[in-house]
Amino acid sequence: MKIFTWSPLALALSAALPVSADVIITEYVEGSSNNKAVELTNTGSVDASLDNLSLRLAFNGATSFGNTIALSGTLAAGESYVVANSSATGEITDVSQQTSGSLSFNGNDVVALVDENDNVLDSLGQLGNSGNYGKDVTLRRIDGSTGRTDASSAFDASVEWQSFAQNTFDGLGCSGVDACDGGGGGGGTFSCEGETLTPTYAIQGSGDRSPLVPDGSFEAEGTYYVEGVVTAVTESLYKGFWLQDANGDGDSATSDGLFIFTGDAPQGIEPGMQVCVAGTVKEFFNLTELDATDKQWEVIDTVGELPVTDFAVEDGETLDEALERHEGMKVRLTQESDLVVTRNFGFDFDAFRNNMVLSYEAPNFKPTQLYIAGSDEAAALAAANDANQLFVESDLKAPDGVVPYFPGLDAEQGYIRIGDTVTNLEGVVGYSFSDYRLVVTNELVASDFVREEDRTAAPQTFDGTNLKVASFNVLNYFTSASAIGGDLNVTCDDQADADASRGCNRGTKDAAEFALQQVKIVNALTAMDADIVGLMEIENNGFGENGALANLVTELNSQFADEADHYAFVTPAEADLTEGAFLGSDAIQVALIYRPAKVSLQGDATVVRMPEQHISGESPDGETRQLDKFQRDSLLQTFGVKDQSLSIAVSHFKSKGSGCYEDWVAGEFDDDPADLQGRCNEFRVSASETLGNALAGVEGDIIALGDFNAYGQEDPMRVMTDYDADTAERKIVTAAGTSIAGETLDETAREVGDGFGYINLASYVLGEEAFSYTFDGELGSLDHAVGNASLLEKVTGVEDWHINSVESTLFEYSGRFTGDLVKSTNPYSSSDHDPVIVSLNYPDPVQKFKLRFKNKSIFWVQPTVNGYVDEDRPWLRWKTNRKYNQNSEFLKELGVSYGDTVELGYRLWGFIAIPCGDAVLEENTRAVFKGFQCKIK
């Protein structure tokens, strides 16, 4: 029996107060689910009546009490009285004297003992304060403390209370800080002696469920006793410890490990201990576990940690199947495991924590990057990707900017890239949120990430290239915040709006962050060294000197000493701009920058107005909604390149993030549509068709580039390229309710015709697995450059320069969620999209000239060039002319071309030389023979 003694001061105070004041709260249990209880103890020397007392509760920072639980009966001196939630576990209700469904509180709620006059006799927590003081713990009153009568004063549990782990019930029913001796919940001594032990591998079995759990059920009947060696103890992602049979059964189809769920961090359990535990075998959302929340276990011995098992995927099995064979075990990844990073360390919205994802042999690819949306192949790849993921976790949530198992994370040296093979990583295999998870138990160093493709300082250089065109998303490059000082964008109401946390400025509002963003993007553009660049996500705050576009170009030009390398930006005609200043109506715009020394502008830029959607519809649930959706305008400019024209159209189509009319009426407004193309697909089809029609009358070479927000085999890109309307099994349709500049485009959905026949340059040169973006652990291209047939003849190379998609977002300019992580000015993680760079060769224009010999005499003569006579046509009759140009065989044989200096002359009668003199071959050179003389004109 645990003993609670009271100090003379406490006894003196109790004597001076009414008998009811001798009753105080001595234990508080804030357990999982409904496991809530309050223990009262009579600290006086005489019996006390409970009839006029009650427990009062105040919730979530309330300043007054809400629920009331009336008490009754007599409590003998020195005895305790337990009030419990009526749905609490039997360990609690078995020792309670009163139960109530109203006794439900969390760790920030005030619990008070109150008399009939509303006098507070004792309390925990502070009225009006919603801060946690007792979340997920059991509190027991320290010997000698007294009742706390002011529930509005600051409360610190550590002053008069001792804290125990969540779901500790073994002190209920007897006052004091020690467990009850033979009484209270779970107070007895547990032993496996004499019990029948079931091996871990027999509980796991060879399938994806325990053979002990009946079909249609999630737990086995009865209690099972299991013995093994502890491999890990976890208290956050999984609450319990991991047990593994020391010898195993030698069958690779059955796991030797098992997760023991205890509901909290088990006290006194450490890796290397031999433990026997009793509990219920369960399939907890497909994780085979032993539920031991009643704390029935004993430590038998400390035998040291078991050898770790090297993880391997066998021939013919998926990664998921291999992980199921190891569920509950501690494993190690080696280079032979062939597990590579398919999603870099970052935030997982499903588990709501930071983690990293691995896949087997190669990163996963977006199904619609490789296969037509809605096809069997796309569906099969989606299923294969789902079975090819291992989430790498830390037990405790990672602090901002920290990879807990990789303390050497560094923007310059210790980085992680998608595609890296992960080695020497150790952890236990669990399953939750519909995926297998490796809870890491060791730390890695940079060399444990083995990579085949590392960072490159600059894009590839292709032989013969004399012009480069690129596409680059600059990740919300905004200058309108007060700290930066740019003009307001078209969506801003005022400067306060631009400075607000959720205002019209989508970029950073911090000067230091902007400086980092600027230098990273400028360093990336400098290394790209492209002659024409299409930009996306730059602030739409005008084309003046105080706009984001001018800001970026000015800083970029400062990197080049030679003015021939400087950039200018394309400015549309004022009449084509919103309010005469802005490109469209969104906070961001597309833009074009170019080098005037390399290319010239041919005509004005064209603003390609994009469709809007204004239509109401009814969802499958019967709810009607008005849908008003917009897209950013595209920009088209024709450039002169030597003697040819190159037209560049830069676009940024509607994103997949929010729904359109078609998603609303299909019941997919908040979910990824079944065809895997994301929301607003038909709206992007309308944009793609609009862009293609705008380019239809353009002559010369064409590149349409930008962020199309569509993967390689999705409908918008097929419309731009090779879609065949006659043979397609699945027809591509436009969005309904669309218009352009107030003119109706499509009232209802309409099938599109054949694609426009452009060639996706990255796919053509690099293959279908070209990528520029990653999302949810899958690679693909949202950024494209498509060209026409004449352009293709000039392509020397194409590169998706992987400076962003494979890198960690922690290294981006934003300091949100990155804590004290040191950033770098290098170009890596300058954006979330890779630039697409197209290298071209435009041959020098053919330089034409004419050379004319004119005989004004009455004699036959022989014209000569550098003393040679054209043997095919040696004679020039009287009163006749002869013409040569750059294509003449006679001059080619002499090696003569435009700009050369040649010696011209005649031979009278074939043997008398009449010199004309030297002449430079230009557009029109004439050698005239008259009166026995020759003159060059």
Side-chain angles (χ1 to χ4, degrees), residues 439-768:
V439 185
V440 181
T441 57
N442 70 333
E443 292 184 351
L444 301 182
V445 296
S447 59
D448 291 324
F449 296 93
V450 180
R451 61 182 57 100
E452 294 182 5
E453 296 186 10
D454 207 344
R455 292 171 170 176
T456 57
Q460 289 179 262
T461 299
F462 297 97
D463 291 342
T465 299
N466 56 19
L467 188 77
K468 290 199 291 185
V469 178
S471 166
F472 194 31
N473 184 311
V474 294
L475 192 58
N476 288 318
Y477 189 94
F478 274 62
T479 61
S480 60
S482 293
I484 302 162
D487 289 335
L488 300 180
N489 71 60
V490 68
T491 69
C492 292
D493 294 329
D494 50 32
Q495 190 63 54
D497 187 15
D499 294 338
S501 61
R502 295 186 178 274
C504 60
N505 185 321
R506 300 180 191 173
T508 181
K509 301 164 186 63
D510 180 87
E513 286 187 2
F514 176 76
L516 178 62
Q517 179 187 24
Q518 183 186 68
V519 70
K520 289 180 76 70
I521 288 174
V522 166
N523 284 342
L525 286 167
T526 302
M528 287 159 58
D529 198 27
D531 304 300
I532 303 173
V533 184
L535 302 175
M536 288 73 64
E537 290 195 20
I538 194 161
E539 186 169 17
N540 186 14
N541 61 344
F543 294 84
E545 63 181 15
N546 211 26
L549 183 56
N551 175 284
L552 178 59
V553 170
T554 299
E555 187 64 24
L556 179 59
N557 285 341
S558 70
Q559 309 304 307
F560 297 96
D562 188 345
E563 289 190 3
D565 294 324
H566 285 189
Y567 291 87
F569 52 82
V570 172
T571 303
E574 184 176 335
D576 291 333
L577 297 176
T578 303
E579 302 175 21
F582 308 106
L583 182 59
S585 59
D586 197 4
I588 57 175
Q589 67 168 63
V590 299
L592 277 166
I593 63 175
Y594 67 99
R595 281 174 165 153
K598 293 293 292 286
V599 296
S600 61
L601 300 182
Q602 290 188 347
D604 293 333
T606 300
V607 176
V608 182
R609 304 293 183 196
M610 281 293 155
E612 301 175 5
Q613 184 178 61
H614 304 285
I615 187 174
S616 64
E618 184 176 301
S619 73
D621 296 330
E623 182 182 354
T624 299
R625 176 179 289 191
Q626 173 69 27
L627 282 305
D628 297 300
K629 300 294 177 178
F630 302 86
Q631 300 204 57
R632 289 162 286 270
D633 291 340
S634 297
L635 184 63
L636 168 64
Q637 176 68 60
T638 299
F639 296 92
V641 186
K642 297 188 176 179
D643 63 340
Q644 301 183 55
S645 64
L646 169 62
S647 296
I648 305 293
V650 56
S651 300
H652 189 181
F653 288 178
K654 177 75 175 68
S655 74
K656 300 169 180 282
S658 60
C660 290
Y661 167 80
E662 287 72 21
D663 308 302
W664 176 254
V665 297
E668 298 176 325
F669 198 72
D670 297 317
D671 303 304
D672 193 26
D675 65 4
L676 306 178
Q677 296 190 94
R679 293 180 282 273
C680 292
N681 176 65
E682 291 80 2
F683 199 30
R684 286 189 293 278
V685 167
S686 296
S688 188
E689 189 181 55
T690 299
L691 177 62
N693 288 333
L695 296 173
V698 176
E699 296 181 354
D701 298 334
I702 298 173
I703 299 179
L705 50 73
D707 181 355
F708 290 82
N709 268 310
Y711 292 102
Q713 291 297 323
E714 291 183 357
D715 293 346
M717 297 315 302
R718 296 181 66 208
V719 168
M720 289 301 297
T721 55
D722 58 358
Y723 176 67
D724 188 330
D726 293 331
T727 61
E729 295 182 8
R730 176 183 168 281
K731 302 299 183 182
I732 296 178
V733 299
T734 63
T738 55
S739 60
I740 298 179
E743 297 292 328
T744 298
L745 182 61
D746 288 312
E747 291 185 356
T748 59
R750 167 181 53 82
E751 289 186 10
V752 302
D754 289 342
F756 290 98
Y758 292 99
I759 299 99
N760 192 318
L761 299 175
S763 298
Y764 181 84
V765 175
L766 304 173
E768 292 182 344

Side-chain angles (χ1 to χ4, degrees), residues 188-258:
T189 301
F190 171 79
S191 175
C192 285
E193 187 175 352
E195 303 291 351
T196 300
L197 300 179
T198 303
T200 55
Y201 46 79
I203 293 176
Q204 285 282 5
S206 59
D208 57 2
R209 286 171 55 89
S210 171
L212 305 179
V213 177
D215 291 339
S217 177
F218 297 104
E219 65 179 65
E221 295 182 359
T223 299
Y224 285 82
Y225 292 79
V226 183
E227 186 178 308
V229 177
V230 177
T231 57
V233 178
T234 50
E235 59 182 274
S236 179
L237 184 63
Y238 297 93
K239 294 179 171 62
F241 59 93
W242 306 74
L243 207 63
Q244 189 163 323
D245 190 273
N247 299 311
D249 62 352
D251 184 357
S252 63
T254 59
S255 170
D256 297 330
L258 183 67

Side-chain angles (χ1 to χ4, degrees), residues 65 96 127 141 151 182 213 216 234 289 299 315 343 354 405 443 562 687 772 919:
F65 293 108
S96 63
L127 291 171
R141 196 150 213 148
V213 177
T234 50
E289 67 179 27
V299 177
D315 291 342
R343 178 171 70 71
N354 287 307
Y405 44 84
E443 292 184 351
D562 188 345
S772 67

